[in-house]
Amino acid sequence: MANPKTRLRLPIRVGLYTCALATVFALLYTTLFAKTTAFKSASAATTAVVYAMNGEPVPVFSSTSTHENNSDASNETSLEPTDPLAFVSSSDNEQSIGDIPDAQSPAQQSSTQDEILDSTSTPEENPDENASFQVDEPALPEEQSESDSASASDLGANEENATQSTDYGYPIVAKSDDAVTKTILIDVGHGGTDLGDVSKDGVIEKNVTLDLALKLKSHLETQNPNLNVILTREDDATTHGTSSWEDLTWRRNKQEEVNPDYYLSLHTHADDSDGATFYINPDDVQTEILTTLMAQNLASAGWTTPSNTITTDTYPLQLISMANSHAAMLELGSLKSSASLDLFKDSEAMEKTAAALSNAISTTILGNPDAPAYSSVQKQLAQKVNSSL
């Protein structure tokens, strides 16, 4: 019969041996299998960074293990097994491709990750995964987005508008319900059987004034569409009445009918003067501002001879002195001057002339929106005399 002490020492020895062996196996497992799992997780993370820096969506896969007791360790570095693909934007990574060792091409890495997907999931666990998963292709860097295209289109439109915002170099005012609105009556000198002056080579004053008036109306409506422009004639109409007095009376009645804010009568010189002469009322400051700017603009448009101004107190003109509006008569150039005739016959030169006069009118009105209407002293005196008779 065995010694009782010997029977007690045997189980103790077996237990100690068993613990020692368990410790050895645990160390081996931790050293070999845990390091292998961590390596796989690190590899997956490395792949994700490389894809991101290539500007492509990066699928990050969960690492599954055949040993259930290792699930906690694997989940520390991966997504849950039931999570779908996760996409990493390249803007979320500050590493460069050069920081990743042994980087593969995007096509090779895509193939590698497809293989990992097949090996880490089964049809039973994810029966519809391959059918439902879709990856949107990112836009290439050189491609322009719709918003960028729209911005470029807007920029092009703005540049085009900028090139069309002037009329012979003069600014164009936008149409607006709140803008300053004024009426301009342009009295086209002569007409019909009233030829006015005639040059030696057959240039007729009535045709020159009509050509300038039509161009002036067109440029005024272009530069400032808020203005109301009216012509006393728009073709070679016959004179009103059988005498110059009757014609003058008709033009005075036209003034009363229209009641314009500004009145401009167009003529040419009968002498050799190449410049422009303005006739205005001596107490009309607003018209003086207007004709001063007209003279400056005409000089830029080719009428280089200095202009001058005459007031109606020294040279009375009924259509000016009796007008209840800012009124002026313009005698432009001379039918006896070769320099003036060259400009009259040049359609482009007359367009520039009309644009210059239009700018002076529009600028004066916009710069003095609250200028008071002109009240003719001569008309007031005439009304007093007539009322006393």
Side-chain angles (χ1 to χ4, degrees):
M1 184 174 178
N3 190 344
K5 292 183 179 181
T6 303
R7 284 183 294 177
L8 289 174
R9 283 197 289 265
L10 181 61
I12 293 174
R13 290 178 181 176
V14 172
L16 290 174
Y17 293 152
T18 302
C19 290
L21 289 174
T23 300
V24 172
F25 282 117
L27 290 175
L28 288 175
Y29 172 81
T30 301
T31 302
L32 297 177
F33 291 92
K35 285 186 177 182
T36 302
T37 303
F39 175 76
K40 289 182 179 180
S41 299
S43 299
T46 299
T47 302
V49 174
V50 173
Y51 265 78
M53 294 304 298
N54 278 295
E56 299 182 9
V58 181
V60 180
F61 303 98
S62 60
S63 300
T64 58
S65 174
T66 55
H67 302 280
E68 294 181 359
N69 59 350
N70 294 332
S71 59
D72 293 338
S74 63
N75 286 339
E76 292 179 1
T77 57
S78 64
L79 300 176
E80 293 294 331
T82 56
D83 286 348
L85 293 179
F87 298 96
V88 180
S89 171
S90 59
S91 61
D92 295 333
N93 296 277
E94 297 181 357
Q95 285 182 290
S96 64
I97 297 180
D99 297 332
I100 308 302
D102 301 328
Q104 295 177 322
S105 67
Q108 292 172 333
Q109 294 179 16
S110 177
S111 174
T112 301
Q113 293 206 358
D114 287 342
E115 294 175 0
I116 295 173
L117 178 63
D118 292 338
S119 62
T120 57
S121 61
T122 60
E124 292 77 9
E125 294 175 347
N126 300 291
D128 298 327
E129 183 176 353
N130 292 333
S132 60
F133 131 78
Q134 293 181 350
V135 178
D136 295 330
E137 294 184 0
L140 296 177
E142 62 270 18
E143 292 181 355
Q144 198 175 35
S145 66
E146 293 182 3
S147 60
D148 291 340
S149 299
S151 299
S153 177
D154 292 342
L155 179 59
N158 290 336
E159 291 176 349
E160 182 178 358
N161 290 335
T163 61
Q164 297 176 352
S165 62
T166 60
D167 176 39
Y168 281 87
Y170 300 109
I172 294 176
V173 178
K175 178 70 174 176
S176 173
D177 294 336
D178 300 327
V180 178
T181 57
K182 301 290 182 180
T183 297
I184 298 95
L185 177 61
I186 299 175
D187 184 17
V188 189
H190 310 286
T193 58
D194 180 8
L195 304 181
D197 291 323
V198 181
S199 70
K200 290 183 179 180
D201 57 356
V203 178
I204 305 172
E205 183 179 4
K206 70 169 185 177
N207 295 335
V208 173
T209 57
L210 179 60
D211 177 57
L212 178 58
L214 291 172
K215 287 180 169 60
L216 179 56
K217 183 177 189 295
S218 175
H219 286 282
L220 266 174
E221 292 173 343
T222 297
Q223 293 181 22
N224 193 340
N226 303 296
L227 301 179
N228 179 30
V229 185
I230 300 174
L231 305 183
T232 55
R233 67 183 177 95
E234 297 189 9
D235 53 25
D236 189 23
T238 58
T239 50
H240 300 277
T242 57
S243 66
S244 58
W245 179 256
E246 289 180 343
D247 180 67
L248 182 61
T249 301
W250 180 89
R251 294 177 193 274
R252 281 283 299 113
N253 291 336
K254 189 68 174 179
Q255 278 185 337
E256 297 289 338
E257 174 191 336
V258 175
N259 190 27
D261 299 287
Y262 292 81
Y263 174 85
L264 180 64
S265 181
L266 299 179
H267 291 269
T268 65
H269 281 123
D271 55 23
D272 296 329
S273 176
D274 283 326
T277 300
F278 297 97
Y279 298 85
I280 65 173
N281 289 313
D283 56 342
D284 189 355
V285 177
Q286 182 75 349
T287 301
E288 184 178 2
I289 294 172
L290 170 61
T291 55
T292 300
L293 184 54
M294 280 184 170
Q296 294 174 358
N297 285 0
L298 285 174
S300 301
W303 300 89
T304 56
T305 302
S307 302
N308 65 312
T309 301
I310 299 175
T311 56
T312 54
D313 58 344
T314 60
Y315 195 97
L317 288 170
Q318 185 177 164
L319 291 175
I320 305 303
S321 60
M322 298 291 286
N324 268 344
S325 59
H326 300 291
M329 186 176 83
L330 167 61
E331 285 188 335
L332 180 64
S334 172
L335 295 176
K336 294 182 180 180
S337 166
S338 59
S340 293
L341 287 173
D342 288 342
L343 292 171
F344 288 147
K345 295 175 183 178
D346 187 339
S347 179
E348 184 66 14
M350 295 304 288
E351 290 285 358
K352 292 180 180 179
T353 300
L357 294 173
S358 299
N359 170 258
I361 295 173
S362 178
T363 300
T364 301
I365 292 174
L366 293 175
N368 303 272
D370 300 323
Y374 179 76
S375 181
S376 171
V377 175
Q378 295 295 329
K379 185 174 182 179
Q380 292 174 15
L381 292 174
Q383 289 174 342
K384 288 182 180 180
V385 171
N386 292 332
S387 63
S388 63
L389 295 177

